[in-house]
Amino acid sequence: MTSDDDAEIIAAARDGFLDEAADMLQRFEDALLVMETSPDDSENLNAAFRAAHTIKGTAGIFGCDAVVSFTHEVESLLDALRSGQIKVNEDIAAALLEGRDQMAALLDEVHSGLADPHVKAKSDSLGLHLKQLRTQGGGLASAPSAASQAQSAASQVSEVSDAGASDHWHLSLRFGQDALRNGLDPLAFLRYLASLGEVAAIHTLADAVPHLPELDAESCHLGFELLLQTSQGRDEIEQVFEFAMDDCELAIVPAGADAEVYAALRQERCGDDMQALSVLNGIWADLGLVTDRVSAPVIGAAQLVTTDLLPVVDLHVQPADRRQTEGDRRVPGRERRGEEHRFVKVRADKLDHLIDLIGELVIAGSGAQMVAIDEHSVAFMEATQRVSDLVQATRDGALALRMVPIGETFSRFQRVVRDTSKQLGKLIELQVTGGDTELDKSMVDQIGDPLMHLVRNSLDHGIEGPDERERQGKPREGRLGLNAYHEAGAIVIEVSDDGRGLSRDRILSKAMERGIITDGSGMSDPEVWDLIFAAGFSTAEAVTDLSGRGVGMDVVRRNIEALRGQVSLVSIEGQGTTTQIRLPLTLAMIDGFLTRVGGVHYVLPLSVVSECIDVPPECRADQGRTAGTFDLRGEVLPYLDLAQFYGAPPCESGRRSLVVVREGSVHIGLVVDRLLGEHQTVIKPLAGIFKPLQGLAGSTILGSGEVALVLDMQGLMAAALRPAASPLATH
């Protein structure tokens, strides 16, 4: 393996570490936010500690000393909270959240490879602040711990007692042959030990390394005997090797332990091999370990000092029993690792390429079905139908890989609401529902910024301060809601608040002041609310860090429409505002309903099709009109004649059909020439020249090689409800 290969493997491993660290940071932040409101939740506090410890431990393996050093202070403060030495308060919660941000900044330095002196200065000052919070708290520090009681008792023993027993540890370490294959670097673990204290002495065992002809470069044959001087306890030392517990044999013994402990360890390491036993005794002697003392006072002192500190394994049991005990101890680790392996991280571009290939397979399958129909071969048609079913199942499975719960996006706003409400002096509760609703990953990544604008608008403009709410008879604490649900083949995301709502008069006044409209007296409420999305529009009286510059809502609409989505507002003055975003479930492939108008094929999303009927008499009577209304079982609905709308030549056949489609609670009819049935549709983007055309969402390729146009239901409904619109009108 070349040095370039090594560098590539290390770079890939580091990227994996950074991805995992980002996930850990999010878990850490979520735990801290819950801890701030529920300080007595010990499980949540443990979750925060585990996340910080995982980041520190993995960063140490990759030599990220700045991350390790700072995260150690965060971890120490959390450990003091867990032990009950100090209690959670507002200052500690704020400092830990600030520490989370600093950990993110340090990890960004690892990613970029560039060190910023300002980041280091912040680490030093914030680390000192965290340490002060840990040492100043609680009033519980005066209570002597079990370890301190043990040390006090040990100090009363005779002078032969080993005074270093509490801070010197003997580590006997053997790595398994597969350690290197599993991505472990023994040297990285030894380096990380130095962050806990000082490696006073070390001896490398290389006697198991085979001769060169038999040497496998990917196998590990190393062992280590070392002496570590540290004030840390057994748990902290063992956690250094947390990620290697399935690939190493580790014993941690207090220096000065009794002879029975070392006798058991000798038996475990050497068995009946007298030569190996002689070598091991020599190594221990070089390390300065006295392993054959049997003085009763010393044994008692050693046991007293170490009972609560660190038996990694019970070395007093017989070797066979110890192996059984160790096996039992390691089973959960193996099960845990197997559980983790159920999740595989895949690069997004590889997944996108897979989706593209399946899209081409769908198109090719449609072509094969058309050939089978033309050949009038029953066997061929059955075979292509079977292939088509498998292709559809494969398509659904591939698309499911890109679906993620939107709750991951919602959870990021916990911190935003917390920080912004404190900045504005407001009391705000965030209520999240529908977090398990799934959405295409590509859209989740792009919906974050529009949601951020809407959330900040609600926090700044919508929800009143506590005193104002109390004067209005409302609870002092405002409510901000994030909700998601599926409806008619789309996903609906709602951002709602119970604040002051929108003022119709104020919006009209500002719109006329800015020249957006000349007279708003005849405008409906939805039309007035729609003015908010005009570029540069703002009703804020002062510019703040959050809003007031007239930039935001127009960007929200533009970004959502780029995803083939739609945004709308509903508001009641004095009661609150709800902003609704409607998005397609995926941008890649859909189940479509194929129609033809003139010589052009059009595809409707199958999820919006309610029924197909003959063209009603009133539509035939209005022949030549683009839009109108018809009666559907006593309900008057609008319709749109696609031939007239797109300027297609009249249908040669006298019989036409009307497709009733729905979008939310709105139903309209689309008049087409022919119905061609269901069609698996791979959506291709339209060229920029077609963007001004209303009612088109994209294109697709049919099995015959012809191009079909995918209809945009929102645009068509807007045209049906406003008959004066033409297909050349822009959105």
Side-chain angles (χ1 to χ4, degrees):
M1 185 177 292
T2 66
S3 59
D4 290 340
D5 293 333
D6 291 340
E8 185 177 348
I9 292 173
I10 293 173
R14 178 167 294 198
D15 290 341
F17 153 62
L18 292 173
D19 289 341
E20 181 186 20
D23 293 339
M24 289 294 110
L25 278 178
Q26 187 59 50
R27 295 184 192 178
F28 183 60
E29 181 178 286
D30 293 343
L32 292 181
L33 292 171
V34 176
M35 182 185 72
E36 190 175 26
T37 56
S38 303
D40 297 328
D41 188 346
S42 60
E43 182 56 36
N44 187 72
L45 183 58
N46 290 335
F49 179 84
R50 286 193 297 269
H53 177 73
T54 300
I55 293 174
K56 187 185 85 168
T58 316
I61 293 175
F62 287 94
C64 307
D65 296 336
V67 179
V68 172
S69 177
F70 178 78
T71 308
H72 178 72
E73 297 298 337
V74 175
E75 184 186 47
S76 298
L77 180 57
L78 288 168
D79 195 39
L81 292 170
R82 289 202 309 163
S83 64
Q85 296 178 16
I86 56 177
K87 297 293 184 182
V88 177
N89 57 40
E90 187 173 349
D91 291 340
I92 289 177
L96 286 172
L97 284 169
E98 193 175 357
R100 180 265 175 215
D101 295 338
Q102 185 63 17
M103 291 158 63
L106 291 168
L107 289 168
D108 287 341
E109 284 191 337
V110 175
H111 185 270
S112 65
L114 302 175
D116 186 344
H118 297 292
V119 174
K120 183 181 185 305
K122 181 63 179 291
S123 292
D124 294 339
S125 61
L126 184 55
L128 180 61
H129 180 51
L130 293 170
K131 186 178 295 185
Q132 290 172 344
L133 289 172
R134 174 165 51 92
T135 56
Q136 290 173 358
L140 299 175
S142 59
S145 64
S148 64
Q149 291 175 352
Q151 291 180 0
S152 176
S155 65
Q156 299 174 9
V157 186
S158 65
E159 65 273 6
V160 297
S161 174
D162 188 353
S166 63
D167 59 2
H168 284 74
W169 303 97
H170 168 211
L171 276 66
S172 179
L173 177 64
R174 304 292 186 272
F175 280 96
Q177 286 197 6
D178 292 331
L180 299 178
R181 295 187 184 92
N182 292 334
L184 302 179
D185 180 2
L187 184 58
F189 290 96
L190 299 179
R191 285 174 176 166
Y192 185 51
L193 277 176
S195 68
L196 300 184
E198 178 184 357
V199 179
I202 186 169
H203 196 292
T204 303
L205 290 87
D207 53 299
V209 177
H211 295 293
L212 190 60
E214 292 84 25
L215 180 64
D216 181 358
E218 294 184 354
S219 296
C220 183
H221 306 280
L222 297 179
F224 301 92
E225 299 285 333
L226 59 93
L227 196 64
L228 176 67
Q229 181 178 0
T230 177
S231 60
Q232 301 294 324
R234 170 256 181 186
D235 289 340
E236 286 76 15
I237 298 173
E238 188 180 22
Q239 285 169 356
V240 172
F241 301 92
E242 180 179 4
F243 301 101
M245 291 308 293
D246 290 334
D247 292 290
C248 74
E249 295 181 1
L250 172 66
I252 304 176
V253 186
D258 59 74
E260 293 179 2
V261 171
Y262 278 106
L265 184 56
R266 284 192 189 95
Q267 180 66 29
E268 177 68 19
R269 292 287 183 247
C270 305
D272 297 330
D273 189 337
M274 299 306 296
Q275 182 178 357
L277 183 61
S278 175
V279 171
L280 186 61
N281 283 334
I283 292 173
W284 286 353
D286 290 343
L287 294 177
L289 298 171
V290 181
T291 63
D292 55 357
R293 296 183 302 182
V294 292
S295 170
V298 175
I299 293 173
Q303 290 175 341
L304 182 61
V305 171
T306 61
T307 295
D308 292 330
L309 289 180
L310 32 136
V312 170
V313 291
D314 186 2
L315 294 174
H316 293 277
V317 300
Q318 293 300 319
D321 295 337
R322 178 192 175 275
R323 284 192 293 270
Q324 180 64 39
T325 302
E326 184 177 44
D328 292 342
R329 178 177 61 84
R330 290 187 177 184
V331 164
R334 286 197 298 267
E335 290 177 351
R336 182 173 60 253
R337 193 170 74 167
E339 187 76 14
E340 291 171 356
H341 284 182
R342 292 174 58 191
F343 299 93
V344 179
K345 291 187 176 180
V346 180
R347 285 177 49 177
D349 58 342
K350 290 185 176 180
L351 190 55
D352 291 341
H353 182 59
L354 173 63
I355 298 294
D356 291 340
L357 289 177
I358 293 177
E360 296 302 321
L361 185 60
V362 169
I363 295 172
S366 298
Q369 281 188 309
M370 293 187 66
V371 173
I373 293 172
D374 292 341
E375 293 291 332
H376 301 290
S377 170
V378 175
F380 191 9
M381 291 176 64
E382 289 179 352
T384 55
Q385 183 59 47
R386 175 60 177 159
V387 171
S388 177
D389 293 341
L390 291 173
V391 168
Q392 184 170 354
T394 304
R395 183 205 70 173
D396 294 341
L399 289 178
L401 295 176
R402 290 182 24 160
M403 304 298 282
V404 296
I406 197 170
E408 297 178 8
T409 301
F410 284 172
S411 64
R412 300 173 189 170
F413 293 103
Q414 295 277 1
R415 178 73 181 279
V416 175
V417 172
R418 183 258 181 201
D419 292 347
T420 305
S421 61
K422 289 185 178 297
Q423 178 184 346
L424 297 173
K426 298 179 178 180
L427 301 176
I428 300 174
E429 177 192 9
L430 177 63
Q431 296 180 354
V432 175
T433 54
D436 56 348
T437 306
E438 291 188 333
L439 183 64
D440 192 304
K441 180 68 167 67
S442 61
M443 283 194 282
V444 167
D445 295 337
Q446 298 178 59
I447 200 64
D449 286 343
L451 284 178
M452 181 68 74
H453 282 294
L454 297 176
V455 167
R456 285 182 169 171
N457 273 348
S458 289
L459 296 174
D460 193 17
H461 296 305
I463 300 177
E464 312 92 336
D467 295 338
E468 182 181 349
R469 290 179 62 87
E470 193 171 35
R471 287 193 300 269
Q472 296 175 3
K474 296 181 178 181
R476 290 179 61 83
E477 184 177 62
R479 179 193 60 80
L480 175 67
L482 293 175
N483 182 32
Y485 56 92
H486 287 132
E487 183 180 86
I491 181 172
V492 179
I493 303 171
E494 293 179 341
V495 180
S496 60
D497 64 69
D498 64 349
R500 56 176 59 95
L502 299 176
S503 171
R504 175 187 172 94
D505 294 339
R506 190 174 181 186
I507 292 174
L508 290 175
S509 175
K510 286 288 184 180
M512 289 187 287
E513 178 184 321
R514 295 179 179 270
I516 299 175
I517 60 173
T518 56
D519 181 18
S521 58
M523 297 179 68
S524 64
D525 283 348
E527 291 173 330
V528 173
W529 309 148
D530 198 58
L531 295 173
I532 292 176
F533 296 99
F537 185 89
S538 175
T539 59
E541 296 180 355
V543 174
T544 68
D545 293 339
L546 296 174
S547 59
R549 302 182 185 275
V551 178
M553 296 302 285
D554 59 322
V555 176
V556 168
R557 167 167 281 181
R558 188 161 59 247
N559 290 346
I560 291 173
E561 288 182 346
L563 297 172
R564 305 203 318 270
Q566 183 181 26
V567 59
S568 60
L569 278 170
V570 177
S571 181
I572 300 176
E573 188 169 358
Q575 298 184 26
T577 303
T578 297
T579 305
Q580 187 180 88
I581 299 172
R582 185 178 295 272
L583 296 168
L585 287 179
T586 180
L587 299 176
M589 286 177 273
I590 62 171
D591 287 320
F593 187 78
L594 187 62
T595 66
R596 193 170 68 191
V597 178
V600 181
H601 291 87
Y602 294 95
V603 177
L604 294 164
L606 185 62
S607 58
V608 305
V609 176
S610 293
E611 59 181 307
C612 300
I613 60 176
D614 288 335
V615 176
E618 53 266 44
C619 297
R620 290 195 294 268
D622 289 341
Q623 191 170 4
R625 290 187 57 184
T626 302
T629 60
F630 70 101
D631 177 65
L632 180 64
R633 295 184 293 274
E635 181 181 3
V636 178
L637 298 179
Y639 76 87
L640 190 70
D641 190 325
L642 291 183
Q644 297 294 330
F645 185 70
Y646 287 113
C651 177
E652 297 178 359
S653 171
R655 182 173 180 178
R656 306 178 73 198
S657 299
L658 184 142
V659 183
V660 180
V661 298
R662 67 188 183 281
E663 182 77 3
S665 60
V666 180
H667 289 69
I668 68 169
L670 299 177
V671 180
V672 299
D673 293 345
R674 286 196 63 187
L675 305 175
L676 301 177
E678 296 183 23
H679 181 267
Q680 295 184 51
T681 304
V682 181
I683 300 177
K684 305 287 186 180
L686 289 171
I689 191 173
F690 297 106
K691 285 186 177 179
L693 291 176
Q694 191 178 28
L696 296 181
S699 62
T700 188
I701 300 175
L702 303 178
S704 61
E706 296 178 88
V707 174
L709 298 175
V710 181
L711 294 174
D712 171 25
M713 296 313 304
Q714 297 159 9
L716 291 178
M717 287 191 168
L721 297 173
R722 288 183 289 183
S726 71
L728 298 181
T730 58
H731 285 287

